[in-house]
Amino acid sequence: MIDPLWLPTIMIFLPLLGSLLLLATPNRWRDEVAGFLAALTLGVGVMIWYSGGSGLLSLNWIPSLGITYSVELSGVSLALAMVTAFMSFVAILYAARRIPNPGTMLALILAMETGLLGIFAARDLILFYVFFEDALLPSLLMLAIYGKAHRMRALVKFAAYTLFGSLLMLISIIGVRYLGGSPTFALADLRQNLVTGPAQTWLYLGFLTAMAVKLPLWPLHAWLPDFHEQNHDSGIPDVMGTLYKVGGYGLFTFAIPLFPDASLELRPVLMGLAAFTALYAAWIAFGQTDWKRLLAYAGLSHMGFVALGVFSLNETAVIGAMYLLAFQNLYTGALFLSVGMVQERIGSLDTRVGGLMTGAGALGGLTMALWFASIAVPGFAGFIGEFSILLGAYQVSPWLAFAAGLTTIAAAAYALTAFQTTFWQARPLGAVAVRDLYHTEWLILGLPLVIAIFFGVYSAPALNLMQPAVRAVLSALGGR
């Protein structure tokens, strides 16, 4: 029998093993090998969920530097890891069908999955940093290899923002250990040796900057629209990019426990910034005529909500933020794939093509249902998250909660307007016939939708998993 403490490690590195195996696998078997390793990774995650989460595995990695290999998947991290494994599997299914000679794309998806799972499992700040950077390289390669004409401009902007944030995060990580006097970079040791005074605030700002890039938050979001617009039309790199929005998780897992005083001190300002991001992004999304840019701003608006919940430091709001962070990956990722299917059929990502519902009723119906999930219609998982955030944030700042709540109206406006002009309006004369969903496309869009509905109707399994973890993190505030 495998020691349960090792299951997170197996889950983390199985995709990387698959990525390396693809290098030696004949072309005709690459789809099957990639799909099998992705499904096996998801299966390991199910085992961990079924057992209620793993314990903490902590080993000395580089003792002379105080770096440990500390990993654990439980609570919020397990929920996010499960969604990541599931959507990576869905991305591989679609890549195998959509991308000609997809071996390179499949290998990059699997390699990036390892980085993402490592981010969620890491309980050592240096290990977290290593996985954070590990997930960046495949993302850049997808854009460089499969991107559009202006991909290099988008790549440079994305890399510059991320690496700038990463540098500040690394400085903060080193400062947290040495100014606090911790023997290692392990989270458990760091929590016992907190930095105090003004130094804590400055270190928090450095860590916050890196996480604000990867949420993202205004004004550190400028890389996001170009990143999505210039990526491959299929939407597959966009799915992985959506999963890479790990800033909210980093703030929850590391920033609140390690910088409790600074978190409380800056709470009003950061809540205001989050509410502005949510509302600003929804407003900008309304004016977009390119589906990918629209979805980029819709995702930015969601992340504003997530940040509002985390920065409020209210239990209900933080639970809602983690719930939304996990499940928006499902429907936002599926919407990118839906847009990729539209582009494959008509050769355009313009929202004004009109009339697609006539020939592709199933594609239109599933896309509309996914939009309902995205705009937090009751009965979908997004509603649980957004309602909890607003409820908790209202207890801290009613006016900011009200301002953020206006986003739900704006979201309905931009989503339904774009859907109407794409699927319902008259089809132009002479336009190509549109094929409806077929083969695995039903599963690719249907499975994320089913899960979003399930956890929108029956949220107890996920909430029961997340609530103890949220309470443990907020305990660092000492009831303040």
Side-chain angles (χ1 to χ4, degrees):
M1 289 292 292
I2 299 175
D3 188 335
L5 293 179
W6 286 95
L7 286 178
T9 298
I10 294 172
M11 186 179 183
I12 292 168
F13 291 105
L14 263 178
L16 183 60
L17 174 63
S19 181
L20 296 174
L21 281 176
L22 289 180
L23 299 176
T25 302
N27 287 342
R28 65 180 182 274
W29 296 111
R30 285 179 177 176
D31 300 357
E32 289 77 6
V33 170
F36 174 75
L37 267 297
L40 189 60
T41 302
L42 181 59
V44 175
V46 172
M47 290 174 58
I48 299 173
W49 184 302
Y50 183 76
S51 63
S54 74
L56 175 66
L57 173 67
S58 186
L59 305 170
N60 286 326
W61 181 18
I62 310 177
S64 60
L65 298 179
I67 302 173
T68 68
Y69 177 80
S70 300
V71 293
E72 179 182 8
L73 282 175
S74 60
V76 171
S77 64
L78 178 55
L80 287 165
M82 287 293 296
V83 171
T84 297
F86 174 78
M87 288 308 295
S88 298
F89 176 67
V90 169
I92 282 173
L93 285 182
Y94 190 48
R97 191 198 68 76
R98 174 72 190 270
I99 306 295
N101 191 20
T104 302
M105 176 68 84
L106 297 174
L108 291 174
I109 292 171
L110 290 171
M112 188 168 179
E113 184 181 1
T114 283
L116 293 171
L117 294 174
I119 287 171
F120 299 132
R123 294 297 181 271
D124 178 284
L125 269 179
I126 294 294
L127 187 65
F128 174 79
Y129 179 82
V130 169
F131 282 124
F132 189 87
E133 296 302 310
D134 176 63
L136 174 64
L137 183 58
S139 183
L140 293 173
L141 289 174
M142 284 186 208
L143 180 57
I145 296 171
Y146 295 98
K148 299 178 190 176
H150 301 294
R151 62 184 179 272
M152 295 312 298
R153 183 178 63 190
L155 186 150
V156 170
K157 187 184 294 186
F158 175 48
Y161 271 84
T162 303
L163 293 175
F164 170 71
S166 297
L167 176 62
L168 293 180
M169 178 170 65
L170 183 60
I171 294 171
S172 294
I173 288 172
I174 295 171
V176 165
R177 182 196 168 190
Y178 287 102
L179 293 180
S182 173
T184 72
F185 286 98
L187 180 60
D189 289 334
L190 294 173
R191 291 187 67 166
Q192 299 299 317
N193 298 272
L194 296 179
V195 178
T196 58
Q200 183 184 118
T201 301
W202 286 107
L203 293 174
Y204 178 54
L205 289 173
F207 193 86
L208 173 65
T209 301
M211 296 301 103
V213 170
K214 295 310 299 173
L215 261 162
L217 277 180
W218 183 91
L220 299 175
H221 70 289
W223 59 271
L224 184 67
D226 291 342
F227 171 82
H228 285 299
E229 182 184 30
Q230 293 301 316
N231 251 312
H232 192 265
D233 287 330
S234 65
I236 295 162
D238 303 292
V239 172
M240 303 309 295
T242 299
L243 295 170
Y244 196 20
K245 293 176 182 176
V246 296
Y249 173 78
L251 290 169
F252 165 76
T253 301
F254 295 103
I256 294 176
L258 298 180
F259 313 108
D261 297 332
S263 297
L264 285 166
E265 178 186 355
L266 297 176
R267 174 164 62 178
V269 175
L270 295 177
M271 287 183 67
L273 183 63
F276 176 79
T277 298
L279 197 56
Y280 160 83
W283 176 260
I284 299 298
F286 188 77
Q288 301 304 309
T289 57
D290 180 279
W291 268 112
K292 282 203 173 187
R293 292 187 73 87
L294 189 152
L295 285 171
Y297 282 109
L300 176 61
S301 184
H302 287 142
M303 291 303 102
F305 257 95
V306 169
L308 179 67
V310 173
F311 291 142
S312 73
L313 306 177
N314 173 276
E315 181 181 321
T316 302
V318 175
I319 291 173
M322 294 300 103
Y323 202 90
L324 180 61
L325 180 62
F327 291 106
Q328 65 87 28
N329 287 324
L330 292 171
Y331 45 77
T332 302
L335 279 169
F336 272 114
L337 297 180
S338 170
V339 168
M341 294 175 191
V342 170
Q343 192 281 334
E344 182 183 22
R345 285 157 169 79
I346 65 173
S348 173
L349 288 168
D350 198 291
T351 62
R352 300 163 295 183
V353 293
L356 298 188
M357 186 67 83
T358 304
L363 174 58
L366 286 179
T367 301
M368 182 169 62
L370 288 166
W371 267 121
F372 284 161
S374 180
I375 63 177
V377 170
F380 293 91
F383 174 78
I384 305 292
E386 291 193 14
F387 181 77
S388 299
I389 291 168
L390 291 176
L391 186 63
Y394 182 85
Q395 299 173 40
V396 179
S397 177
W399 284 108
L400 288 177
F402 173 77
L406 295 175
T407 302
T408 59
I409 302 172
Y414 70 67
L416 297 180
T417 299
F419 181 85
Q420 180 185 14
T421 56
T422 300
F423 287 92
W424 281 120
Q425 289 186 353
R427 193 89 175 102
L429 293 176
V432 297
V434 179
R435 183 186 69 241
D436 210 347
L437 295 177
Y438 71 104
H439 300 316
T440 56
E441 289 180 338
W442 285 93
L443 291 176
I444 289 163
L445 297 186
L447 288 177
L449 179 61
V450 167
I451 295 175
I453 293 173
F454 177 83
F455 284 100
V457 175
Y458 183 53
S459 58
L463 290 177
N464 292 339
L465 186 69
M466 293 180 178
Q467 189 175 50
V470 170
R471 288 178 174 172
V473 167
L474 294 182
S475 67
L477 302 175
R480 290 176 287 177

